[in-house]
Structures are given as structure tokens and as C-alpha cells.
């Protein structure tokens, strides 16, 4: 029933002069009171599966009654997506500066004391509207810095400017070799029950440069600040990073599953009129402080023994390290395990590593959601 | 019963001055009449599984009576193996020159008319010994060129110099995302029945710079030349490239299977005293001229539909191409198939491709071996 | 007086779907009998100065009476130009395959015996026209291969298809750190007196995959073949590679000098009506067989002592090699020189090198042109 | 008179198992009361000139009476130095993670209130000794984290552990295309008069991950904290980053000039007995807040017009931007200038840039030191 219209946004310019553009797809909602949505995918160049999810979701939505405005920004980092090195996409960081494309979003550093003093007389919805306008203007001003801004920051702030217009922001990523997992701010933990994602990282309100944080932190801060002034309201904006399994992979059937999970969340939030039930599945949570990175204690060839997304008991093999230079010694083949129960969430993509390479990320102290 | 001794060979020097070395493992055979063997792995930096096969094979051989000398050179390209770009190993070509590490071997271009005229009076085994000495001396001279040689050529000629000493040369590689397959020279097709490898490419006698060709071409040429002079003998040297499934993967259990396949071949050739039977499995062949590369007819996101190593009928889906910039048009999602039956052998490693990227290599006109 | 019109040609498609396009500028000549010209620049991504030369030349030509058609293709490799790695352009080879962008041109391998037998009755100019059509059709067929062709080959054949339409082909390159030099086929050595380029490499008629060879080899072959049949004519097509000093450098003033040199050649060939004299300067030649590559005999930090473009006597310092790991030994600081007089033409771009890195290319047995 | 002894430190392990080692050179001082010194070079892989300065300085010191202990760590990042991409060293960031090698140092985050309460009874020199021990132990603990640490952090903390032992820390870097400049903490501004470096950036006490900050920040913090408690002492440790002109360049003669500048500073500080006068030259300063980065306002080919190290008046050409896709329009050739007087300190290394590339860093509000 809904109709998708296309446009493009320019986010930069290549050395040859060609415009860096992102295709945008908009569905106009029929109820201006319904929440608006912004969904982007592929900010990291190798993390393509989110595009397939957007494709399936747009297809699905054609059969629903869409109440809130929805904007899709697939292929959201054309420079990163097109940057190949050998047989893989080198799309995690700007190849010139090394800066992670998902750490380039803008920290507004709004002076809340001043801003709130000026706007506290406003009713909630008008207050939110004013705050939203402030965030968007701040982005626009940033893009017009007299000495310019970096390539990656221009991209990020252009995307952020669109995200700030929405009530719900979804940033579709993947891990290297990964099971599905969700980054979810603590205040919004109920949302985790809707997506088709078994593992959820519960994250605090601190800005590290990522899109989800860029979208929700200013609102969480506003909510916090107001609460201290005695005015209580829920954080008005929801933002999540969905990690949809492994990079360098397109799987249309699996994309449909995640599209339905997103649809269930949008249904719950009233973005579509129809009721869509979430998948019936076990879901687990872990606090960010319990999310551990395991680095290669020594260099070598790696057999990844632990399957991602499956509980691993303390003492069970995580990796085998093979050292062909040490054949005939005890160090030629070493089995590495962890001293606590965990769920391996993702592992490194290459099977030969320098000492210190991040081999696995594991959840510990996992709890049922 | 056999004993492995370790040494190292220096094949270059890094900018910081550190030596580029390769570990060598030798088993001294008990019968000087038995064929000698040279096995190397990991000349392409991301193709690590051959090391695991060498590891399993050395372990196995400790329980056998080894008649012929065997040299193992795992981790045969330290510069390539250690060269990372993003989360993957950039080990297919020299990062400075772009030259494929497996196209750097030396073409001796021996003047056979002259050489044969000088040596034709020799008995076969002495003739072969003389020819072998000529090849090794040619390598040594190459390494001492007054104006020097390139980094990659130094590595290759150093390896080649060791390979020329052996009667049997195995170069262990992998494909990107690949099933197991064997490069086998036409004259040696019987050998393909011993390895644990289902698909064999039958290759002609032409030098393209690869190790297997570098090892067998000079001997095939000698055999051809002698035949034209009326002296007939079998090509005295066997050389194969084994493609052991996918790159960036260590699988010790699968490595054991391939180690046993190699053992079966070595048993057949009399390198070990014990009889080791090859795996009972279907094996197929394809002439190189029937091995087809399919290039992306357009750019886009790729879902690889066809499984490697499984027959695909004409008209069945090979890949889906997803074009998120074209949503709403017929070109948003295109299914690509081939007009003939084939067996997909390998496909590209990344799921987003420029136009022209080699998507699949497929065998056509496949026959039972 | 002349007027430049713009168009574009599509030579590929990026993963995101964006077209890879090259801007084309055409000047329509007023005399159809005058030779036509094709000039391209920047096929290697870091070699940008040729664009500045085209810019200056197009500016200059607006003041001349242009008789022959001229096509300019600046920024001729958009994928290579836009491919950055760290602070530099990684534009010498396809980052996926490693293949040098200037070794991807098509070798038509025309069966001259058959072709000539069919066309020998034609008068020279009609014969040439037929041959030209054959070359262009061969390119077009190549672009339509049923299994597709590689990204780099598509680019090259698209460019080649334009080049084959011209009588004069100029491919503008640079070296890494380099003085100006010209690749000139032996039969066309007189042309070297017109460009503003002091050093000329005289190259034979053999196809190695580069544009200049792709343009002149088929014609040299035709001329050779016809001569053997008793029909003598000059090679009808001229093609040169101009190496315009160092990569990663735009110098508009120097570009004007080279634009004037090209203008002098075009004037000599009758492409413009006006007489333009070549620069009064010493010009030197060297046969390709006397053009030597010097590879780092050891690794280390390199001080490039010998200036490019200036004669260096035998025994004079070429490079200093500093080895900080060997301080206190005789090898900490070594001075390397060559045993013969030479003219260093170019040197490597980085000051730290692995063993085997090509440090310098030098001309020996240099003669006055 | 002084004698240099060599050792090595292992800072990691490559995938092939080879140790990553750094050569260390020590001069034992004759007076234990004299300040000790730590000098490292080449943490960024392409910034090689610091090694040449160390080479010249060690040579010079052999003729001096050295009172304080001096440790030299040239080639301080073997992984970064050996990482080539095309013809250049890709040594600014970890190729796997993108993290700048000079942003990996450890922020101890010492709880000064607690620490000072426990140690305030100590006399200054014992207090400093205790603090130094705390910093070094903190590094050692960091290296032994149970889940491991990253490759880059291991390198950095290993270097930092050595730096913390010294009273004077010099980190030798270069810019891309750069004039010589010094990063100098505000409290140590007098030191800037001794080095052979014309331009000095005066930096505040804030930790951004670089070596100089890692070395002086904890001491500045201690000094600040004590002052607030009424105990005043000068910051006991001096640390500077010297940017010794351009990367990818070895110039032994110029290295001698900088070695003499360092010698003058060491003489001033009493590290050597002899009096060495600083070079007689103009020296200028600029506060970090007045150090401006100019980003490419549009993409294109860049002619860098402004020479580094030379004052540029407001409105004078900084760069020419050439846009070959826009020939015939006003945008084909644009001259860019800045609205204020400045001194360009460094510019980007490549001559073709995407929009947003940092083209120049310039000092504004420059003052005489």
C-alpha cells in the first residue's frame, strides 16, 4: 500500500570530481503523530547485509499501512564500499587517515544548562522540537566550517543530520565473523525483545563517535538534565546498532528474517498500523562491561574452534594456535581456552595473526532478557 | 620411525634489516633410489591451510618408513603472510609491485639443442642428474645477478632452487572461497587418483610463472626434445598444485584428510615403504581450456547462490545481483545463470563487486577420472 | 580559434552502482587529410601531471588553427585515481588483482597472412582504413565477451578503442621520482627531437601490454609483413609514452613547457597549421637493452644521492644505505655505486626498502640524438 | 669518549612467528645526578629521518663526555616500517585496526589524591622516584592483562616503559611534506631555543595518546596537584616531539644539523659536560589553538603553491585546484587562499585529493620566541 520514492544525497566528492552520493528511499507516513524512522546500512564498507535487509523491508512495507515517515539510506558510505584491497573491501576506516567510519559522528557538546534555561517553559513536544532543531542546525553549521572538515566527518555529519530528524534510528552493521547481536542503550532495553536478534549488548550513555550514540546521547542527556530539574520524561529518541551476522555476505533469505524483526519493532512502536509479532526465540543480554575482547597471546595460525552464538563452557577450546616454526616443540600446537563461561559473539576474519590481534569478543555474565 | 630435522633458509631482508626466513623440515630417506620430495605451503599469504596439512603429514610420517628424502617448507612467503590490509591478509601479490607471488618463478629458457647435443651420450639417470644440476646452477646464477633481482623473484628462485632437487614437487595453495582441486600436467594424469581431491584441472606444458610449471616444464621440454631425437623416456619430475579449499581458514581435521591423500600418492610413488590406499571417492577432470572465468557483467552486491564443488545445471542461479541504487526497477534484483552445465570450483571472496570482478571459476565438459 | 567540446565515456561500474566515467574533450580539425590525435593521461592513478599538460595544451590550442581531429582523455583511470592508501594514491595496479593498469591492453593477434591475403589488393589508404576497422572491431568484440572481461581489461580496451581511431597516440605518464623521458619506437626516432624531453628510450616492436605498444605494434607488424611481400610503406601510426617527471605532482608552469613540446610535434606532423619550433635543448637516447634496473642489494634506509637526469660517472655514489640495526659495524653506512657511467632516470619513491626493491633505473651507453 | 652498547627489545610477534624487535643503543653516563635521556625514532613507518639524526648524534657523542644515561631506540616500529602499500610505506596507522601508532600510549589515570596522600611525606627526589616506579609498574601490569592487549598498544606501552625511566624524552617524527617544527609543552617553552628547529607548537597538558604527552602529562599533573597542596616544584620530566621535515626522506647532512641541535639542548641540560651552543637562527612559536588545518573545499588535482616554512600573506595563493572534468568552466582552475597571514607548516603528500582531505596545516598568530 505504501509507496517508496527515491532521491539522492551528496556526501562528498572524489579526486576525479565525481560526486559521492547515497540513494535515499522515503515512505511518507499517513499519520503525522506516528514516530518517524531513519534506517541506514553499510557505513562500514564490507558490512553489506544491511542493504539486503533494507531491500526486503521495503518490499514488505509495500503491503502495510505505514503511519510514520520512514527514510532508508542503503549503501551509506560509497567511498568505503568501493575501496578494495586485494579480494576484500577495506571499508572499516578511512584509508587515508585510518579513522573508523563509525567514529566520525559529531559530539554537539550542547551547553544544556543554558539551552534548558531558555527552553524549559515549553511543553514537552515543543521542547523536543526545539531540541531537534538545535541538533540539526548544529550539524549544518558543522558542514560549513570555514577551514573545512574531513572527508569522513562530512559523510558522518551528513548522515547524522538526517538521523536527527527521526524518532527511531537503526544503523545496520555486521561483525567480521559474527552472530547477530544488538547494541541497545540501557533505557531502551525493552526494545530488544522485538528484533530477530538473540544477543543484546546493553550500553551506557557515553559518546564514542558511533551513529547510535550520536542519535540517542543528546536526548538521554536532555532527559537526565531535565530530571535533575524535576521534570521527568522518557528519552524521546530510540537508536540501535544491529549487527546482522558476518561481513562480506549477502543472504536474501536471512535478510527477510531480520526485516521481519525490524517490522515487529516498528509495529510495536506504531510506525505501521498492522500488528506484527516478534519471532518466538530466546534472547539474551550482557552489559558492555562484561563484553570481553580476547587478544592473541602469541602470533600464529588460528583455528577458530568456538562457534559464534553458542555458549562455551570455561576451559573449552576457543582457538588452536599452530606455529609451524616450532614444530617438534610443545608450542607447535596450543589450545587456548577461557577461564569463565561465555558466549563467543564474533571472531577475527583472518586465520593468521600477529600477537595482539583481537581474536574473539565474548559475552560473559549473560542473562535472559 | 622417521625423524624430522629443522633448519631455516633466508630469502630476503626487510627494510628494518630483519631477515626473511622460512623454516625447513627434512626427513632423510633410507633408500637413495627412492624419489625425493619437496612440499611447500603458503606462498600466497592468505592461503594458510597447506601449513596445517604439512603439520599433519609430518606427524603421520613419524609412524612410517620413509625411503625418499622429503623437505617441507611451510610459511614459504614470510613477507606475504605478514602483510595485512584491514582484517585480511593481502598476500596474493607483492604490495609494492603488484606481481603475483606465484608468477615470479624463473624461466630458464635453456637452449635444449645445445644442451642435449653436449649431454646426449649420457645414460638416462646421469643425463637427468646433469640436467638437474644445470637447473640448480641457473637458479644460483640468477640470485647473483650484478644489478640484483626483485624481492619476489629472489623468494621464488630461492624456493625453486630447493624444488629442483626433488623428483616430486607439491605446492599447497587454496582458492578464495573454493572446493578442493588439483592442477595436474597432462602427462601425469594418473597421479590425480591418489590425492583426496575431487576435481582436477589438466594443464598443458606451458610456463606461466607458477611453481608447478617451473618444476615440470623444463623436464617436459627435455622429454619432448629427446623424443624428437628418437629417445623416449617418461617425464622424470612430477609437480602439482593442490588447492585445499578456501583461504583464511585453518581446519586441522580436514588437513588430516589431505595429509592422508598426499601419503597415498607418496606410497604409490615408493617414497614410503608402507602401502597407503587412496580415499575411495569420485574424482573428476576438466581440461584447462574448459575452465571458465565468469566476470561480473555489472556491479553490485552479490549473493553467491551456487555451492562450490557441486554440479550446477544450465540455467540454474549462479549469483543474485542486488542493486540498491535501482530499487523499484527491474534491475534491482537480477538472477544470473550460465547457459551450460558446469561445476563451480571457486568464487570471489567479497560480496560487493565492481563490474568485471571475477565472480566464479567453473569447470565445463567435466569427465570422470 | 579551435573549439573544444566535451563528452564522457563509461568504462566500468563501481560496487555501489556508480558509473566510472572519463571526461573526453574533442577538437574537430578543419582538414580531413590531417593526422588525427589521441592523448590520454593518468592511467596510473598517481601520475597526475599529464592532466595539467592536457589542460595547458587545450588552452594553447584555442589560439591555433587545428587541422586534424584531436581527442583528449584526461583522468583516464577513475578507479585508479580515486584509490588511496594512506597519504598516497595506490594507482599503479588494480588493487584487487595486482595487474598493472598499463599492462591490460589487448593483443589482437591478428592472423596477418590471412588478413593481408584478403586485403592486399587495396590501395594504401584504403588498406589502412580496413586495418583500422579490423582493430576497432576486435576491441568491440572483446568488450562483449560472453563470460565478461576484467575491470582493468574493460578500461584498457575502451581506451584502446579510441586510440585506434587516431594516427598519433600520446600516453602521458610519470615516473616515481623521475626526470622527463620518452618511450619511442625505433622506427619513429625522429619524433623524439620535438618533445621537450631530454631522454628517450628507443624500444623495439614487442607487445608487453602497454598503450603505446598496443597502438603501434599492429601497424609495425603490418608494415613488416607487407615489406616481406614486397610492398613498402612507413608505419602509419605513431605512438609514444611521455614520462613527465615525478608522480604525485601538479606543476602548471612545467606543464606549459611540455604542452609546447607536444605542440611542436603536432606542428611537425601537420596537425596544426602554424609552425611551432621545438625547444632548443640537448636530447639523448638509449636502447631499451641498455636501460638497467638496479635493485637494493640489501635492505635499509636509503639516501638517494644521484640526481635524476644528470650524468653520473662510474664509481660515484648512487645511494647511501643506512642500517640502524648495525650501528658500530662497517655495514651501518654503505655507499653504493655502479661500475659504469650512466644517467639515472628515476628512483624509488620511498626511503626505506626491502632487499630487492628497484632503487634506480639508469640509462647506459647514452648517445646524442 | 663515550661508548655505545647494543641490545634489543622484543615488542611483538609476527603471524609467521618472527619476533618484532627494536635495536637499542645505550650510552652509560658518568654522573648519576645528570638527567637521563630516551630518544626514539620512526614510530610512524614512513618517518625515517629521525634514524639518520640518531645515527649522527651517536657518532657525535663518541667525541663528548656524556654525564647522563642515554638510550636510543631507532626503527621503533618494525611492523609499521616494513608495511608497504604500493611504492610508499603505509606506516601511520595499524593496517588492521586503523589506529594511529602514535595514539596508542597508555593513560595511567593515576588516582593522584590517593597516591599523593600516601607519598607526600617524601622529599622531592624520593617522591619523583616513587612516582616513576608507579608509572613503570603500571606499564608492566598493562602488558600482562589477562585478556591481552592490541598489537599497537603492546608496542606503545613497551616503548613508554623505557621512556618513563628518562628525565628527557625525544620522539623523532616528520610531517608528510613539511618544514621542521617542534611540539613543546607550555611549561617547557624555554627548551625550544636550543633545537635547530624554526617553528614551535606550544601544547597544553592534555593527553591525546601521543608519546610526548604520555611522558610529560603524568608529571605535569603531579606538579599541578602538589601545587594545589602548597608544594611547588618544576615539572621534573621534559618531553618533546621533533618533526624533522618530510617523510620518506633520508638526508645525512641535514640529520647532522638536527643532531647538533639536540646536542645543544642536552648540553644545556647537563647531559654532556661540554658546552654546545644552539644554532643562531630565528625561532617562532604558535599556540596549538592557532594551528589550523585546511581541508580541501572540493576534490581535484592540487598544485601546492605555498612553500612550507615560509610566511604567507593573507590572500596569497595556497593551492591551485585543477578540475579536468570541468574544463571550459570557471571551476576548471581555482586559486585558493586564506583570509589571514600564516606560516604553512606542512601539506598533504598526494597531488590528487577527495573533498575534505587535509591539505595544509598552518600556524597563525605566530610570535617570535
Amino acid at each position: 500500500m505504501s509507496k517508496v520514492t527515491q532521491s539522492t544525497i551528496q556526501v562528498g566528492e572524489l579526486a576525479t570530481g565525481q560526486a559521492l552520493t547515497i540513494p535515499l528511499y522515503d515512505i511518507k507516513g499517513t499519520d503525522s503523530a506516528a514516530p518517524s524512522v531513519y534506517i541506514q546500512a553499510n557505513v562500514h564498507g564490507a558490512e553489506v547485509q544491511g542493504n539486503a535487509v533494507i531491500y526486503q523491508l521495503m518490499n514488505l512495507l509495500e503491503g502495510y499501512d505505514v503511519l510514520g515517515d520512514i527514510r532508508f539510506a542503503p549503501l551509506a558510505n560509497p567511498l568505503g564500499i568501493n575501496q578494495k584491497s586485494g579480494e576484500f573491501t577495506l571499508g572499516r576506516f578511512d584509508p587515508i587517515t585510518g579513522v573508523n567510519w563509525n567514529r566520525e559522528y559529531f559530539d554537539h557538546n550542547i551547553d544544556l544548562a543554558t539551552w534548558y534555561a531558555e527552553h524549559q517553559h515549553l511543553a514537552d513536544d515543543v521542547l523536543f522540537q526545539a531540541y531537534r532543531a538545535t541538533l540539526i542546525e548544529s550539524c549544518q553549521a558543522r558542514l560549513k566550517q570555514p577551514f573545512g572538515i574531513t572527508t569522513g566527518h562530512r559523510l558522518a555529519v551528513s548522515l547524522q543530520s538526517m538521523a536527527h530528524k527521526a524518532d527511531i534510528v537503526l544503523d545496520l552493521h555486521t561483525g567480521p565473523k559474527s552472530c547477530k547481536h544488538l547494541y541497545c542503550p540501557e533505557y531502551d532495553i525493552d526494545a530488544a525483545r522485538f528484533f530477530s536478534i538473540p544477543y543484546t549488548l546493553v550500553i551506557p550513555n557515553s559518546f564514542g563517535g558511533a551513529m547510535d550514540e550520536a542519535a540517542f546521547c543528546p536526548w538521554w542527556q536532555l532527559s537526565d538534565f531535565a530530571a535533575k530539574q524535576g521534570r521527568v520524561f522518557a528519552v524521546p529518541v530510540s537508536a540501535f546498532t544491529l549487527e546482522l551476522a558476518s561481513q562480506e555476505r549477502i543472504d536474501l533469505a536471512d535478510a527477510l528474517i531480520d526485516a521481519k524483526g525490524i517490522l515487529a519493532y516498528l509495529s510495536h512502536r506504531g510506525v505501521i498500523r498492522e500488528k506484527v509479532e516478534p519471532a518466538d526465540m530466546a534472547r539474551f543480554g550482557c552489559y558492555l562491561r562484561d563484553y570481553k575482547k580476547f587478544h592473541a597471546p602469541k602470533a600464529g595460525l588460528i583455528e577458530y574452534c568456538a562457534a559464534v552464538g553458542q555458549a562455551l563452557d570455561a576451559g573449552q577450546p576457543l582457538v588452536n594456535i599452530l606455529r609451524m616454526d616450532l614444530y617438534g616443540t610443545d608450542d607447535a600446537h596450543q589450545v587456548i581456552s577461557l577461564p569463565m563461561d561465555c558466549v563467543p559473539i564474533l571472531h577475527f576474519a583472518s586465520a593468521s595473526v600477529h600477537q595482539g590481534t583481537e581474536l574473539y569478543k565474548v559475552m560473559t555474565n549473560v542473562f535472559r532478557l
Side-chain angles (χ1 to χ4, degrees), chain A residues 34-216:
Chain A
S36 61
V37 183
Y38 172 77
I39 304 180
Q40 71 178 17
N42 213 173
V43 162
H44 285 140
E47 304 183 1
V48 291
Q49 174 71 355
N51 297 303
V53 173
I54 287 178
Y55 176 78
Q56 297 288 35
L57 185 53
M58 291 199 293
N59 273 333
L60 283 177
L61 283 169
E62 292 187 16
Y64 286 85
D65 186 3
V66 178
L67 304 177
D69 294 345
I70 310 180
R71 165 161 287 189
F72 297 97
L75 304 172
N77 181 356
L79 208 159
I81 295 165
N82 291 329
Q83 178 82 13
K84 299 282 178 176
S85 180
E87 291 151 83
F88 295 93
T89 304
L90 184 64
R92 194 158 184 80
F93 47 78
D94 183 327
I96 298 175
T97 62
V99 180
N100 188 323
W101 294 111
N102 194 25
R103 297 293 177 278
E104 293 262 23
Y105 294 94
F106 184 44
D107 189 354
H108 298 284
N109 272 319
I110 288 170
D111 173 0
L112 269 175
T114 305
W115 190 92
Y116 190 74
E118 285 172 10
H119 297 83
Q120 58 180 327
H121 61 286
L122 300 173
D124 280 6
D125 57 343
V126 192
L127 185 83
F128 300 163
Q129 211 173 314
Y131 195 62
R132 192 185 297 276
T134 298
L135 297 177
I136 294 169
E137 279 156 28
S138 167
C139 286
Q140 295 306 324
R142 186 75 186 163
L143 290 168
K144 288 175 193 140
Q145 284 289 309
F147 270 64
I149 58 174
T150 67
T151 307
H153 197 46
R154 172 173 297 278
L155 169 67
V157 178
S158 299
L159 297 174
Q160 190 173 351
S161 195
M162 296 190 288
H164 280 321
K165 292 177 189 157
D167 302 298
I168 298 168
V169 173
L170 305 184
D171 194 12
L172 308 187
H173 283 252
T174 78
K177 300 287 180 179
S178 178
C179 66
K180 293 178 191 173
H181 55 292
L182 179 75
Y183 284 82
C184 178
E186 207 168 348
Y187 69 84
D188 231 349
I189 186 69
D190 284 345
R193 292 179 228 279
F194 294 90
F195 300 105
S196 303
I197 294 180
Y199 296 98
T200 291
L201 272 170
V202 185
I203 61 174
N205 178 17
S206 75
F207 183 73
M211 169 53 104
D212 54 357
E213 300 158 349
F216 73 66

Side-chain angles (χ1 to χ4, degrees), chain A residues 309-350:
Chain A
Q310 296 181 16
L312 185 76
D313 288 345
Q316 288 302 301
L318 187 73
V319 295
N320 286 320
I321 305 187
L322 195 63
R323 278 290 288 267
M324 291 305 295
D325 56 322
L326 299 176
Y327 184 81
T329 76
D330 290 348
D331 290 336
H333 176 194
Q334 278 193 287
V335 186
I336 306 283
S337 58
L338 297 181
M340 74 278 279
D341 294 354
C342 70
V343 180
I345 296 299
L346 58 83
H347 68 72
F348 193 59
S350 171

